[in-house]
Amino acid sequence: MRAKVQIHSLDALRGIAALCVTLYHVPMLFGVGQALPHAYIAVDFFFVLSGFILFYRYGESFEGQPKPVAGYVIRRLARLYPLYLLATLIGIGLVVLRFVIKGEPFSNPAGFTYAVMSGLLMIPAWGTTFIHANGPAFPFADQAWSVFWEMVLSVLFILWVRIRLRGLWVVVGLAFGLLILATLPAGRLDGGWQPGNFHIGGLRAICGFCMGILVAKLYFRLSQTAIVARPRLASGVVLGLMGLVALYLSAPLTVTSLWVELALLAGIFPAMVLICALYPPRFLNVWFLQALGGASYSLYLLHGVSAEILIAVMNRVPALEASFPLGLAWLLATLAVAYGVWRGFEVPARQKISQVLSPRPAFGAG
């Protein structure tokens, strides 16, 4: 079995994607109506990357093998749950604080308890409009819907790969067909964070994850052949693809196209992952992008509660108005917090849980 090394260029791309999602969610802090209006599609890149990484790290060792999966599942839980729990607890605290400050009674204690228990167990909750008006499936950490699907697919993956991913192409075709049917009415892939569109999130996750697996399988085949390395050409292609993605992410909502988004999910994102894995571009190895990639999970889960805190302060301090300088200051502070949480909490918690619960030396980081 081939030794696996960390592909730093993919870490950088994950960091850039997390930054795009962050800017998409907080245009009001910068005093504008929209910022990267189509950046919700960056979540689909996460799923493609996840499928690639999991098959890259575990596919060969588990494919067709009756190995126990306990160590793998523990590793994935250690990777995903601690930070999710931290974001959820912060979110719960903010909701309680809001109720106390505004003097709002807990009009639905049973519903609140249900939402809290669902949140702690990392499962979606229905009927949470009394917490947030838009009723997200994870009301204390809105973005966690994708983490839920990440965990589900992580477990299904390790069971599926043991039977050599039989029916992979059937699953891909069926998932894309259902995704098109589910998103045609809205004309966009955005969906998954509310109970009413939660199924769209699942279909997005399956499609992206399976595309990542296919890319990983192609990567292993190509890496064994005598390909002439053209790093400059590869870097140019990656830059060009990133430019196309940026062009769509920043385009106004009036030019939203479901077919463009499907092309990104099925073609552009997989191509970026494959090229960066085969010929890692040097421009993605700069320290800032590597740090951003490391802190990407923290940034993704914590930027929402960070924005809520600032908005609450702005509501009580009239002199503090939304503007580009304020938004930039908030962004830099959030990036610093995400980096600190990654280094000071996320990584140590992951290592500690793996050491305590894993019955044998853990597999490589997922």
Side-chain angles (χ1 to χ4, degrees), residues 215-269:
V215 170
K217 294 173 76 71
L218 180 59
Y219 165 82
F220 283 130
R221 289 184 182 181
L222 294 178
S223 62
Q224 293 177 339
T225 61
I227 308 176
V228 178
R230 297 179 181 272
R232 290 186 178 179
L233 176 61
S235 296
V237 172
V238 171
L239 272 174
L241 294 177
M242 291 176 67
L244 290 175
V245 175
L247 189 64
Y248 184 72
L249 263 57
S250 59
L253 287 175
T254 53
V255 298
T256 299
S257 169
L258 174 61
W259 307 109
V260 170
E261 294 176 3
L262 287 170
L264 291 173
L265 172 57
I268 302 299
F269 291 160

